[in-house]
Amino acid sequence: MKSMLRTARTIASKDLRIELRSRVVTNQVIPFAALVMILFAFALDSDAVLERVAPGLVWLATIFSVLFIVARSFALETADGALEALRAAGVDPMGIFLGKTLALATQLIALEAVLVGASVVLYRADVSASGGVLLVTTSVLATVGLASVGTLYGGLAAGAKGRETLLPLLLLPVVAPVLIGATRATESAFGTNGIDVSEGWPWLGLLAVFAVLFSVVGTVAFGPLVDD
Amino acid sequence: MTTRVARDRVTGTPFTRGLGIVTIAGIVWLVIFGLFVTPADVNQGETVRIMYAHVPGAWLAYLAFIVTALSSAMYLWRRTRSLTWDRIAGASAEIGVLFMGISLVTGSLWGRLTWGTFWTWDARLTTTAFLFVTYIGYLAVRNLGGTHHQRARRSAVLALLAVLEIPLVHFSVEIWNSLHQEASVAGNTDVTMDGLMLFTLFLGVIVFTLMYVWMLLHRQRALTLEDMLDDTGLDRALAARRAEAGVS
């Protein structure tokens, strides 16, 4: 258990250090997500509509970006056969899963902060203090879920031919509950359509179930999936 | 010599031939009953006949996906680990995707005629669409390559993940839907059915199930042959080329 957590910490810090030095997420994925937010505005073309759908757009942009971050996360592992080397060296797959999930989650939180900021600026979203608490909790729970599922399916698709197109096909149906739950909770946090903040909290139940379920299942199933 | 081997390795047996004949006879019976013998519905008119293909199709898809999940579990369980379970899982998922597709198409056609819309965001419909996409992804993963056991383990884990995912998707769509939709059109079907119509529906389910078993047996054997070809095909081709070179 202790060694598993130590592995997780090592893997996570390795991934984050690579990100700090290469800045792929900060310089490419986050600008991409911001661009998506702007393109939504072109497509929907009305302030009133944008204001109403802003919460959904934030999470849609997040989920699209997850695809890229996951692909990036596993490109690092497959480029030089790093994942196989880790497995051959007897590194605990549970530790690898937790470490990669942690690194992914950290990057996602940064991304979500930018996107919420963008929706305040671009879509006139309005966050009160109590809404802010709800929003932060929503982001944390949704992120744990997205990062676990992303790591699990990313590991499955890693190294396969055509993984760029396979990953969205596998991942997008699975994350539908997160999109639903996080969007509704964010609607209350933004006060969209006059929805009260308190109405958002029940949706966190769904996000919590998803996060717990997939982080546990991911920890167990990741080993057999990458153990080739 | 190779041609004789090829001729020997067919996927039919006396049992599947018998089953096939029974299935085809059943389909003919179903078509006659479904299109001609049963009356038109009081409310739905002639469109009710779509049901005789739609309902059994949906039933079959669910059955197929359950079989996929069970045989995946059988593969993962050490004591019953065998590539046969993996091939049954794969064959069943293929048939399931096919019939889920048929069921979605017939369902939306019926919906257009009866409700005036191809699609509603009803939980059952949405979950079905998700199932369809999920198993298309499953089939894509089966084609990723690697050794047979790699393929088997990867897809078995994925099939079990799908079992986990689908109820969660269904549940979340249901609560999402409860906020959005006024009255679900799908709820208005609590009409009593004519006995003959009910019988035809039942017949459809039986006939489709027979068809499923028939297709599953053949497909599973075809997959076995494909795997054998993978295993021995290269060796055989090499041997043949060597023989050619030796002769000339």
Side-chain angles (χ1 to χ4, degrees):
Chain A
M1 183 71 193
K2 214 169 162 193
S3 79
M4 183 177 94
L5 292 179
R6 205 170 51 228
T7 309
R9 211 174 53 218
T10 314
I11 299 270
S13 66
K14 171 209 64 136
D15 271 16
L16 291 174
R17 205 173 312 126
I18 292 175
E19 169 51 28
L20 274 181
R21 291 185 186 159
S22 66
R23 301 208 179 263
V24 168
V25 172
T26 16
N27 290 353
Q28 292 171 15
V29 180
I30 290 182
F32 159 78
L35 194 60
V36 169
M37 298 286 274
I38 295 170
L39 292 179
F40 279 143
F42 292 161
L44 299 174
D45 194 37
S46 144
D47 282 350
V49 174
L50 274 177
E51 218 171 307
R52 213 176 67 220
V53 299
L57 299 186
V58 168
W59 287 104
L60 212 48
T62 307
I63 284 172
F64 286 152
S65 310
V66 166
L67 297 173
F68 291 107
I69 303 181
V70 169
R72 163 75 184 157
S73 169
F74 280 93
L76 296 174
E77 301 299 341
T78 48
D80 305 312
L83 194 58
E84 276 142 40
L86 279 177
R87 295 292 299 121
V91 178
D92 185 0
M94 294 187 179
I96 302 179
F97 174 81
L98 289 177
K100 293 206 76 78
T101 305
L102 196 62
L104 201 60
T106 314
Q107 298 170 27
L108 274 178
I109 288 282
L111 175 84
E112 284 156 16
V114 173
L115 289 180
V116 169
S119 66
V120 170
V121 175
L122 299 173
Y123 305 158
R124 303 178 187 177
D126 202 11
V127 192
S128 62
S130 58
V133 177
L134 173 64
L135 198 56
V136 170
T137 323
T138 306
S139 299
V140 170
L141 287 176
T143 301
V144 173
L146 289 175
S148 314
V149 168
T151 309
L152 182 60
Y153 284 78
L156 173 71
K161 280 175 291 173
R163 59 179 169 278
E164 300 85 357
T165 41
L166 180 63
L167 187 64
L169 179 61
L170 295 178
L171 202 54
L172 292 179
V174 188
V175 297
V178 176
L179 181 62
I180 292 175
T183 301
R184 297 305 136 207
T186 308
E187 269 180 359
S188 328
F190 283 179
T192 316
N193 302 330
I195 299 172
D196 197 61
V197 172
S198 62
E199 284 177 50
W201 288 99
W203 291 99
L204 297 193
L206 178 63
L207 293 178
V209 168
F210 190 92
V212 170
L213 196 65
F214 277 98
S215 48
V216 171
V217 169
T219 313
V220 178
F222 189 72
L225 274 185
V226 295
D227 186 22
D228 281 339
Chain B
M1 158 133 185
T2 42
T3 47
R4 210 183 71 217
V5 170
R7 213 179 299 127
D8 285 349
R9 294 276 160 76
V10 292
T11 58
T13 58
F15 176 72
T16 55
R17 272 178 219 119
L19 183 62
I21 291 168
V22 172
T23 306
I24 290 170
I27 292 172
V28 172
W29 187 9
L30 180 65
V31 167
I32 293 172
F33 266 53
L35 291 184
F36 306 108
V37 178
T38 49
D41 187 74
V42 191
N43 300 313
Q44 302 171 17
E46 300 291 344
T47 62
V48 73
R49 303 189 193 284
I50 296 178
M51 285 294 132
Y52 303 130
H54 171 74
V55 175
W59 145 256
L60 191 62
Y62 279 97
L63 174 74
F65 294 150
I66 291 168
V67 169
T68 296
L70 289 179
S71 28
S72 297
M74 290 300 273
Y75 175 81
L76 285 178
W77 198 37
R78 268 174 213 289
R79 285 173 59 187
T80 51
R81 177 157 303 171
S82 148
L83 281 175
T84 305
W85 288 118
D86 168 63
R87 292 183 200 113
I88 293 175
S92 190
E94 283 178 7
I95 304 170
V97 166
L98 174 70
F99 279 89
M100 188 127 276
I102 290 175
S103 165
L104 281 168
V105 170
T106 51
S108 58
L109 291 177
W110 180 86
R112 183 76 180 88
L113 292 168
T114 315
W115 304 334
T117 170
F118 283 113
W119 189 261
T120 67
W121 292 101
D122 160 83
R124 193 163 38 155
L125 256 66
T126 314
T127 309
T128 306
F130 271 100
L131 257 175
F132 186 59
V133 179
T134 301
Y135 280 92
I136 288 178
Y138 169 86
L139 291 180
V141 167
R142 291 191 67 85
N143 287 327
L144 279 183
T147 66
H148 300 328
H149 278 287
Q150 274 175 356
R151 174 199 68 198
R153 184 169 40 196
R154 222 185 272 146
S155 48
V157 172
L158 194 64
L160 294 185
L161 281 175
V163 174
L164 200 68
E165 168 207 337
I166 292 304
L168 202 60
V169 168
H170 186 85
F171 172 70
S172 48
V173 174
E174 211 159 51
I175 51 177
W176 166 68
N177 208 33
S178 62
L179 286 183
H180 279 250
Q181 220 168 9
E182 312 81 63
S184 172
V185 245
N188 298 337
T189 46
D190 51 356
V191 280
T192 48
M193 269 187 115
D194 172 67
L196 184 60
M197 291 162 85
L198 199 61
F199 168 78
T200 309
L201 208 54
F202 188 64
L203 176 72
V205 169
I206 304 267
V207 168
F208 271 52
T209 308
L210 288 176
M211 180 155 62
Y212 166 74
V213 176
W214 188 33
M215 290 168 92
L216 182 73
L217 288 172
H218 275 291
R219 189 63 192 133
Q220 192 274 123
R221 286 171 193 158
L223 287 175
T224 311
L225 292 180
E226 270 176 29
D227 281 358
M228 281 167 66
L229 188 67
D230 269 352
D231 291 337
T232 62
L234 186 64
D235 293 342
R236 237 176 230 210
L238 281 175
R241 293 299 88 75
R242 281 206 191 98
E244 260 174 34
V247 166
S248 59

